[in-house]
Amino acid sequence: MRTLIKNGTVVSAEGASALDVLVDDERVLALAAGGSELARSWQTGADRVLDASSKYVIPGGVDAHTHMEMPFGGTTAADTFETGSRAAAFGGTTTIIDFAIQARGGSLCAALDSWQAKAAGKCAVDYGFHVIVSDVNDSSLKEMDVLVGQGVTSFKLFMAYPGVFYASDREIFEAMDRAAGNGALVMVHAENGIAIDAIVAAALAKGQTDPIFHGLTRPAELEGEAVHRAIVLAQVAKSPVYIVHVSSAEALAAVAEARRRGQNVLAETCPQYLFLSEEDLARPGFEGAKFVCTPPLRPRIHQAALWQGLRIDDLSVVATDHCPFSYAGQKELGLGDFTKIPNGLPSLENRMELIYQGVVAGEISLSRWVEVTSTNPAKVFGLDPQKGTITPGSDADIVIYDPHATGTISASTHHMAVDYSCYEGKSIIGRVDAVLSRGRQVVDGDTYTGERGHGRFVPRQICQCLR
Ligand SMILES: [Zn+2]
């Protein structure tokens, strides 16, 4: 099966040019200047021709931070691997990296097996796994080596959530020390959870139970402090570190300082920290619950710092931390007590188009959009050049993006299995027009043309962004 994508502008992390793309079965076979004799000669042998005139042709998005079917706070994230991966496809994301969670007292390999079973045969697009280490001990440290050999090369530890996922500085250091030896990348949720717990308890004692207090009890200073501490632990362990979901200027400053010194510190932010704010958490009634995620949405002033971080590569990746809970029946668990609101937002489907609004607004360049949503996450998590690039030999994960289309985000039209959108009514310039996953067209406009189980597990190399 040969597919020719013609007349489009191919956008990569390096630039944009008029190129036709020839896809053979699951891979990119060749690129040639649009309208050239070579490109024209491909017409005859093609089984299918997609006309991308006046559109961008970009590598499919890589969302390195999703939580499908994740158990949290007595409920489970609403998207299954089936619904979530289909929503990803609609949004132009063709690879997701989800988190398998080690049970306390359980093994890392059992966690991976269990999440592999949830995903197997269900996914619309390709997927990989990180493993959340909630119990650092001799055997889980040894298992890190085994998993790296199986293409699971990143492990997440939490400085937040005491009693749930929390790891002490000693445990985080031990995991980093192991990672320094086996090439793994340690990802850190950096907030000072011990101090936050004290602030939360004091708020509840004063009867402060509304959703806004989720934000007010998790100050940005305690994110900045934890990011700095994670970076120092990694420096001493001589391991790279990846800071997930940077939400504040304080956290970003700690990352930036370490990168100036040349330390291998990588960091992501998420669309919610670029577009939403504490004002959303303060919406009247209980509506703020729709915006409860961790770290919390910050005062609007932080957004400019995060865009600046994206421009100058202190932030290398935009991932979603997609962890959707419906308002009805799930977010409502926290009525009268914000600590019972399940933490997480839906945004997987909107990531590519939201970050494109940053191109429209002049915050980042067109190439940088592709770099932070696709190319960089592929490199950071060891998927280059299979993913994140349109290069001969790479997987034909390709999005045709129409920059002239306009639309409106709404829960009534999205494909995520959740009953609200954080961006309800937001006008969007540009839209995902067609999506190929390993050469197969899975989205055609508003129509899903893919197949449950098309998506495969992708083993990953170690981080390709170290210096
Ligand atoms: Zn997360």
Side-chain angles (χ1 to χ4, degrees), residues 65 67 99 156 158 245 321:
H65 191 155
H67 299 281
F99 290 84
K156 184 176 175 190
F158 287 77
H245 48 49
D321 196 9

Side-chain angles (χ1 to χ4, degrees), residues 87-121:
F90 271 109
T93 286
T94 51
T95 306
I96 59 171
I97 311 179
D98 206 271
F99 290 84
I101 304 174
Q102 177 198 21
R104 288 240 173 211
S107 79
L108 301 186
C109 293
L112 180 63
D113 289 349
S114 152
W115 258 260
Q116 287 280 21
K118 293 183 201 205

Side-chain angles (χ1 to χ4, degrees), residues 353 406-414 423-429:
E353 60 187 15
T406 55
T408 305
I409 298 180
S410 174
S412 63
T413 48
H414 75 200
Y423 304 96
E424 188 68 41
K426 184 177 173 64
S427 297
I428 288 287
I429 295 174

Side-chain angles (χ1 to χ4, degrees), residues 65-67 70 99 132 156 158 161 189 244-245 268 294 320-323:
H65 191 155
T66 71
H67 299 281
M70 174 173 157
F99 290 84
I132 289 174
K156 184 176 175 190
F158 287 77
Y161 303 125
H189 176 135
V244 293
H245 48 49
E268 80 181 15
T294 306
T320 57
D321 196 9
H322 177 77
C323 191

Side-chain angles (χ1 to χ4, degrees), residues 258-386:
R259 288 180 64 83
R260 297 296 169 276
R261 284 190 284 103
Q263 194 180 333
N264 275 310
V265 175
L266 295 153
E268 80 181 15
T269 189
C270 310
Q272 53 269 35
Y273 304 117
L274 296 164
F275 290 98
L276 304 174
S277 77
E278 197 176 68
E279 292 161 36
D280 294 300
L281 266 178
R283 288 194 194 193
F286 191 60
E287 211 198 334
K290 293 177 179 174
F291 300 89
V292 167
C293 58
T294 306
L297 301 180
R298 303 295 186 188
R300 199 168 282 281
I301 184 96
H302 293 267
Q303 292 174 358
L306 297 176
W307 282 112
Q308 165 75 356
L310 273 181
R311 274 193 294 279
I312 64 174
D313 202 38
D314 285 335
L315 297 169
S316 307
V317 172
V318 177
T320 57
D321 196 9
H322 177 77
C323 191
F325 297 98
S326 279
Y327 184 71
Q330 293 195 298
K331 291 289 189 180
E332 284 176 347
L333 292 169
L335 268 168
D337 180 353
F338 72 86
T339 66
K340 304 252 168 25
I341 301 169
N343 292 190
L345 306 183
S347 69
L348 165 79
E349 185 171 352
N350 307 120
R351 183 183 64 122
M352 300 295 285
E353 60 187 15
L354 280 171
I355 303 309
Y356 184 73
Q357 303 317 297
V359 179
V360 173
E363 293 284 4
I364 55 171
S365 71
L366 188 61
S367 286
R368 187 65 180 159
W369 169 54
V370 169
E371 191 165 37
V372 298
T373 56
S374 176
T375 310
N376 277 353
K379 287 180 177 171
V380 169
F381 293 102
L383 288 168
D384 178 63
Q386 185 185 355

